[in-house]
């Protein structure tokens, strides 16, 4: 598929927004198993209009049963979407974090809804991406999610990462989302999940 080839070559990465993508150490912030964010604002972080909501479960260091629920509200989706591109700072994998590509799901609805699954055709991993966002940006790992059916415009959905292996140390991670609209070869930046990962002792 031509679309897959373009993404694999990294050409769509040129459409990245200026949102910074950084992996930083952060101290322990709370003692709980579930962490929810309604667009948590971290000083010097992403503009509020680009912050995306998320929920983390089993958010301890080295936990092999962590799960990330990454929400996208329908008002951010202007046209039908055929593919999703999620970029994760390289610090996540460098500190032994691991995302199981076979346990990635996409579903309709919001974080707390049990919406219908959206069929996924293929999930690919690319660890040879440079963000180019600014001089402080880390290299990025890129997850490409090709959908078997389009997500309609103005439709909320959630990307579920199950059985994640959390990194060995606490990190603040800015995870970007781009979407490939139906009939378009260029990715569109949607927003960023600004997440505190593995921060619980």
């Amino acid at each position: 598929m031509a679309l897959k080839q373009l993404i694999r070559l990294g050409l769509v990465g040129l459409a990245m927004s200026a949102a910074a993508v950084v992996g930083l150490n952060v101290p322990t912030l709370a003692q709980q198993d579930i962490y929810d964010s309604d667009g948590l604002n971290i000083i010097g972080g992403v503009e509020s209009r680009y912050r995306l909501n998320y929920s983390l479960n089993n958010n301890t260091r080295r936990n092999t049963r962590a799960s990330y629920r990454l929400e996208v509200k329908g008002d951010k989706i202007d046209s039908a979407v055929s593919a999703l591109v999620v970029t994760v700072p390289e610090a996540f994998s460098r500190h032994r974090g691991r995302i199981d590509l076979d346990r990635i799901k996409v579903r309709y609805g919001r974080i707390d809804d049990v919406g219908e699954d959206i069929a996924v055709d293929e999930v690919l991993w690319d660890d040879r991406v440079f963000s180019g966002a600014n001089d402080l940006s880390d290299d990025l790992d890129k997850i490409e999610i090709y959908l078997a059916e389009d997500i309609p415009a103005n439709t909320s959905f959630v990307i579920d990462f199950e059985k994640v292996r959390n990194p060995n140390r606490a990190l603040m991670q800015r995870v970007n989302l781009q979407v490939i609209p139906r009939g378009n070869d260029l990715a569109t930046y949607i927003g960023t999940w600004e997440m505190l990962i593995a921060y619980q002792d």
Side-chain angles (χ1 to χ4, degrees):
M1 176 188 288
L3 173 60
K4 293 183 183 181
Q5 187 175 14
L6 283 172
I7 295 176
R8 295 297 291 175
L9 291 173
L11 296 181
V12 298
L14 298 176
M16 289 292 292
S17 79
V21 183
V22 195
L24 301 173
N25 286 335
V26 295
T28 297
L29 297 181
Q31 299 297 323
Q32 57 185 31
D33 291 329
I34 300 175
Y35 184 74
D36 296 291
S37 170
D38 185 15
L40 172 70
N41 187 18
I42 297 174
I43 295 174
V46 178
E47 289 184 43
S48 59
R49 61 181 172 150
Y50 293 120
R51 288 199 301 267
L52 303 176
N53 299 340
Y54 65 91
S55 176
L56 306 179
N57 295 286
N58 300 322
N59 194 29
T60 56
R61 300 176 190 184
R62 305 180 185 87
N63 196 312
T64 59
R65 294 183 177 275
S67 62
Y68 305 167
R69 313 249 183 270
L70 310 179
E71 181 182 85
V72 183
K73 293 181 180 178
D75 60 7
K76 296 184 177 295
I77 305 300
D78 295 333
S79 59
V81 170
S82 59
L84 309 170
V85 180
V86 178
T87 51
V88 180
E90 180 269 340
F92 180 85
S93 56
R94 178 161 27 98
H95 293 294
R96 311 230 15 201
R98 186 176 66 253
I99 296 171
D100 186 344
L101 300 187
D102 293 331
R103 299 300 296 267
I104 293 177
K105 295 182 179 180
V106 185
R107 58 183 171 84
Y108 291 112
R110 306 289 294 275
I111 287 175
D112 296 327
D113 296 339
V114 183
E116 180 183 351
D117 287 347
I118 300 170
V120 172
D121 180 44
E122 187 176 18
V123 179
L124 300 175
W125 176 275
D126 186 351
D127 61 1
R128 299 180 301 278
V129 184
F130 184 73
S131 69
N134 60 41
D135 291 340
L136 299 178
S137 296
D138 282 349
D139 289 340
L140 304 176
D141 292 329
K142 181 168 62 175
I143 300 170
E144 305 156 10
I145 305 171
Y146 299 96
L147 304 172
E149 60 186 67
D150 289 354
I151 299 174
N154 304 309
T155 302
S156 297
F157 64 93
V158 176
I159 305 171
D160 288 336
F161 290 176
E162 299 287 350
K163 296 203 73 174
V164 176
R165 197 279 188 189
N166 268 348
N168 293 337
R169 60 196 297 181
L171 298 171
M172 191 280 281
Q173 299 274 266
R174 292 179 182 145
V175 176
N176 287 333
L177 173 68
Q178 295 172 285
V179 302
I180 310 293
R182 169 56 59 191
N184 196 332
D185 290 336
L186 294 178
T188 300
Y189 170 70
I190 297 299
T192 299
W193 295 284
E194 201 164 34
M195 302 193 295
L196 300 168
I197 293 175
Y199 70 85
Q200 181 190 351
D201 288 336

